[in-house]
Amino acid sequence: SQTIHQWPATLVQPVGSPLSLECTVEGTSNPNLYWYRQAAGRGLQLLFYSVGIGQISSEVPQNLSASRPQDRQFILSSKKLLLSDSGFYLCAWTPIWEGKGSTEAFFGQGTRLTVV
Amino acid sequence: AQSVAQPEDQVNVAEGNPLTVKCTYSVSGNPYLFWYVQYPNRGLQFLLKYITGDNLVKGSYGFEAEFNKSQTSFHLKKPSALVSDSALYFCAVRAMDSSYKLIFGSGTRLLVRP
């Protein structure tokens, strides 16, 4: 069966420090991968998605970047965190096979990032 | 552009009563629609989806949703609410480009009182 791992669960970082959040998927190959951010416990904003290794699409301009160094690994990074980067970050994946549009996305457990 | 709207920030219902969480969508073509639930400080859990076929879709934990094409709605329902159903609920539509990303509504907080 497929599983998604996201870590760390919580993170407190000072302003100006770097960030690296990691997400890995097991039990599948060539998934579409996504990073979402949730502010104030409500709406979900798509930050990045990837349809393959090294292929990253950014949805909104911001202080963050993403990379996909391996097929099932998705990393969210920042060189210098801002207070506004605080939030709940969620990684998700969608299977790639026939009828892929009909398959639900699966989410990790999230990372609570607090920038102080 | 595709979008979904959840017009209610919060829905309050007594335990044992039926519940409805509303969702309307705007898409060109046939929509792929999804409902997710989120408990505090947790990821999203998939509840159900509409792809094609029967307009009444049954999902996890006794939830169901009714797809109404003429009203462009996909309301989430449950015949008898439980206190444990209290959570944040998201409706989503799938983008039909190569991203296959989910476009989410703003979420509705469901509060079931004992």
Side-chain angles (χ1 to χ4, degrees), chain A residues 20-74:
Chain A
S20 181
L21 302 181
E22 189 164 342
C23 172
T24 60
V25 181
E26 296 179 355
T28 190
S29 58
N30 196 30
N32 273 17
L33 295 170
Y34 310 88
W35 278 111
Y36 286 87
R37 178 169 60 198
Q38 184 178 29
R42 289 308 288 260
L44 292 157
Q45 180 185 40
L46 179 62
L47 302 176
F48 301 95
Y49 69 88
S50 172
V51 300
I53 297 175
Q55 301 180 59
I56 306 296
S57 296
S58 175
E59 288 287 292
V60 293
Q62 59 205 309
N63 184 44
L64 301 168
S65 62
S67 61
R68 185 171 177 174
Q70 300 180 42
D71 180 41
R72 291 168 292 172
Q73 184 184 30
F74 204 24

Side-chain angles (χ1 to χ4, degrees), chain B residues 33-105:
Chain B
L33 296 162
F34 303 81
W35 275 102
Y36 285 82
V37 61
Q38 185 183 33
Y39 296 98
N41 292 311
R42 305 290 286 179
L44 273 67
Q45 296 179 31
F46 169 73
L47 284 178
L48 50 80
K49 64 184 176 184
Y50 173 81
I51 304 302
T52 187
D54 194 347
N55 289 343
L56 185 63
V57 178
K58 295 189 181 297
S60 306
Y61 313 119
F63 284 94
E64 58 190 27
E66 185 170 10
F67 173 69
N68 188 317
K69 189 171 185 178
S70 63
Q71 297 185 8
T72 62
S73 66
F74 188 54
H75 300 333
L76 181 70
K77 300 181 180 184
K78 188 174 183 181
S80 178
L82 300 173
V83 172
S84 57
D85 292 329
S86 298
L88 187 57
Y89 290 81
F90 289 99
C91 180
V93 64
R94 165 144 282 150
M96 296 310 288
D97 55 23
S98 63
S99 74
Y100 292 99
K101 63 189 177 187
L102 288 180
I103 301 164
F104 285 90

Side-chain angles (χ1 to χ4, degrees), chain B residues 2-13:
Chain B
Q2 295 163 305
S3 65
V4 293
Q6 294 180 244
E8 303 155 316
D9 284 345
Q10 183 163 315
V11 170
N12 299 304
V13 64

